[in-house]
């Protein structure tokens, strides 16, 4: 999660708007016959399920266009500016700070991340005053770090930011990074390749929402039928994944997605989703008022939402009606 708003200067905000306009300002992108989706990531193993859900929605009559952004905050800003209809990210802090009328529709992934460190750091106490690397400022990885530092009574030294768990793992292998927070797949890769040098430190036991499907509430209500189909297809696939993680690879092959990826990446897709569903990365419920309240607790403790958490209202951040209709449609 990467809050915008007050942290950005007027000039920087204008530059972002110009960048977005160049990226998705073409006549084709402006055509309202397609649902414009802003994704702050590339198509990868981790985001594959989301694209498959959109492809299934397309088969149900909802055409879409995805614009990939290098940063999540750009994707969020695209939705705020009305240059995208739906976004994938975590807009909690943006909603609170800027009062942007964004509402979460579906919990795509949860923050099942793992702190990994050089074995010279035997415990979190050894990390007091030491450098640590996160994905980006005010993201889920830094939220986890903030919670751990508060819990352990320590303060980190210099904070560095390197987007992408795989890039931080490369940095660790090269000796450039001594401690960071990474996703499940890259944690496993690190331990497989260099378990003699690195280990996992205690993390956060109750993961919050990471990537969510969200949009402007006015657009959502004006396009209820399209939104219902999309949310239903997300829920349907997430439930299928819980029962059979191999469905993601089956759907990828059927739709010829990621065909340009190396063989070893494609061969690891089912293994990744098997581990990820088991660890709760892709929770099959899709979200609820209880999920939202748990997120409030997490992000207020992490310093990314202003609390008290108990005073935050679910309806100010989530719009649950489409998900409730999807559950009825699927009999779940």
């Amino acid at each position: 999660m990467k809050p915008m708003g007050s942290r950005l200067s007027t000039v920087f905000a204008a530059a972002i708007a110009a960048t977005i306009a160049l990226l998705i300002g073409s006549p084709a992108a402006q055509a309202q016959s397609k649902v414009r989706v802003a994704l702050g990531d590339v198509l990868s193993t981790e985001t594959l399920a989301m694209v498959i859900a959109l492809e299934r929605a397309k088969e149900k009559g909802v055409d879409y266009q995805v614009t990939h952004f290098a940063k999540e905050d750009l994707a969020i800003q695209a939705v705020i500016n009305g240059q995208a209809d739906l976004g994938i990210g975590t807009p909690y802090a943006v909603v609170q700070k800027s009062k942007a009328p964004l509402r979460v529709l579906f919990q795509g992934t949860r923050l099942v991340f793992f702190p990994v460190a050089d074995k010279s750091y035997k415990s979190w106490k050894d990390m007091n005053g030491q450098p640590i690397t996160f994905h980006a400022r005010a993201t889920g990885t830094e939220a986890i770090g903030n919670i751990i530092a508060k819990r352990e009574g320590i303060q980190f030294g210099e904070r560095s930011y390197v987007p992408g768990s795989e890039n931080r793992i490369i940095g660790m292998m090269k000796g450039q990074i001594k401690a960071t927070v990474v996703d499940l797949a890259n944690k496993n890769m690190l331990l497989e390749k260099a378990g003699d040098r690195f280990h996992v430190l205690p993390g956060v036991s109750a993961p919050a929402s990471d990537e969510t499907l969200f949009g402007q509430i006015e657009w959502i209500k004006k396009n209820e039928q399209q939104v219902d189909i999309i949310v239903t297809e997300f829920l349907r696939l997430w439930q299928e994944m819980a029962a059979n993680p191999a469905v993601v690879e089956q759907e990828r092959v059927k739709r010829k997605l990621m065909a340009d990826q190396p063989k070893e990446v494609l061969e690891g897709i089912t293994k990744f989703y098997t581990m990820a569903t088991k660890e709760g990365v892709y929770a099959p419920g899709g979200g609820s008022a209880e999920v939202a309240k748990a997120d409030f607790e997490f992000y207020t403790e992490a310093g990314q939402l202003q609390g008290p958490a108990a005073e935050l209202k679910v309806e100010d951040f989530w719009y649950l009606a489409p998900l409730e209709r999807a559950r009825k449609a699927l009999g779940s």
Side-chain angles (χ1 to χ4, degrees):
M1 181 170 70
K2 311 170 186 65
M4 300 288 286
S6 59
R7 293 189 180 186
L8 294 176
S9 68
T10 302
V11 174
F12 187 33
I16 287 175
T19 301
I20 293 169
L22 286 172
L23 285 169
I24 59 176
S26 66
Q30 295 297 328
Q32 289 302 297
S33 59
K34 290 187 177 182
V35 175
R36 302 163 300 169
V37 182
L39 174 60
D41 204 344
V42 297
L43 176 58
S44 63
T45 298
E46 291 82 358
T47 59
L48 177 58
M50 300 175 192
V51 174
I52 289 172
L54 290 170
E55 282 289 297
R56 286 180 164 190
K58 185 175 181 179
E59 292 171 353
K60 299 290 196 310
V62 181
D63 201 0
Y64 75 96
Q65 174 181 317
V66 171
T67 300
H68 298 274
F69 292 91
K71 295 182 179 181
E72 184 182 306
D73 50 14
L74 293 177
I76 295 173
Q77 194 66 28
V79 180
I80 292 174
N81 292 344
Q83 293 161 316
D85 304 312
L86 297 175
I88 294 174
T90 318
Y92 282 129
V94 176
V95 171
Q96 186 179 63
K97 291 179 180 179
S98 70
K99 306 301 181 184
L102 305 179
R103 295 295 183 272
V104 174
L105 296 163
F106 188 87
Q107 182 192 54
T109 60
R110 301 198 302 166
L111 278 167
V112 181
F113 279 71
F114 301 84
V116 290
D118 187 282
K119 284 189 174 179
S120 61
Y121 302 129
K122 295 179 174 59
S123 71
W124 282 114
K125 297 300 182 185
D126 297 327
M127 282 293 301
N128 191 37
Q130 298 300 310
I132 189 167
T133 302
F134 299 112
H135 173 78
R137 286 180 175 84
T139 56
T141 57
E142 189 167 39
I144 290 171
N146 291 343
I147 289 174
I148 290 171
K150 182 178 179 181
R151 181 188 71 194
E152 299 290 334
I154 63 173
Q155 289 188 347
F156 295 124
E158 181 182 0
R159 296 187 179 207
S160 300
Y161 303 93
V162 176
S165 286
E166 65 280 3
N167 294 322
R168 296 195 296 282
I169 290 299
I170 291 170
M172 295 190 80
M173 297 293 290
K174 291 182 177 180
Q176 299 165 340
I177 296 174
K178 292 293 186 71
T180 186
V181 181
V182 296
D183 62 24
L184 174 65
N186 283 284
K187 180 266 292 185
N188 291 342
M189 182 185 300
L190 179 69
L191 296 184
E192 287 173 7
K193 291 186 175 181
D196 58 326
R197 295 168 52 197
F198 304 101
H199 66 143
V200 178
L201 291 173
V204 175
S205 59
S209 296
D210 185 12
E211 303 290 357
T212 69
L213 180 70
F214 66 91
Q216 287 209 42
I217 188 62
E218 183 179 356
W219 183 90
I220 290 169
K221 290 183 176 180
K222 284 183 178 179
N223 296 272
E224 187 177 88
Q225 185 176 2
Q226 290 175 303
V227 170
D228 281 3
I229 292 172
I230 291 172
V231 172
T232 299
E233 292 310 313
F234 267 77
L235 182 61
R236 188 195 311 274
L237 181 57
W238 263 235
Q239 291 178 346
E240 289 178 13
M241 280 196 295
N244 174 28
V247 68
V248 177
E249 172 62 5
Q250 294 165 7
E251 293 288 307
R252 182 200 68 79
V253 172
K254 177 181 176 181
R255 292 171 170 77
K256 298 181 174 60
L257 297 170
M258 294 176 60
D260 59 342
Q261 292 297 304
K263 182 180 178 181
E264 56 268 25
V265 171
L266 301 180
E267 289 177 344
I269 289 174
T270 297
K271 179 180 179 182
F272 169 79
Y273 279 92
T274 299
M275 291 188 297
T277 51
K278 180 180 179 181
E279 295 285 345
V281 176
Y282 299 88
S288 64
E290 290 70 28
V291 165
K293 291 174 183 178
D295 287 351
F296 298 160
E297 291 283 349
F298 178 90
Y299 283 112
T300 52
E301 186 176 3
Q304 293 183 14
L305 277 176
Q306 298 300 310
E311 295 181 5
L312 299 178
K313 298 178 180 179
V314 173
E315 60 269 24
D316 289 341
F317 296 88
W318 281 70
Y319 182 59
L320 289 166
L323 182 56
E324 291 167 355
R325 289 193 290 266
R327 288 199 179 102
K328 290 181 180 178
L330 299 177
S332 58

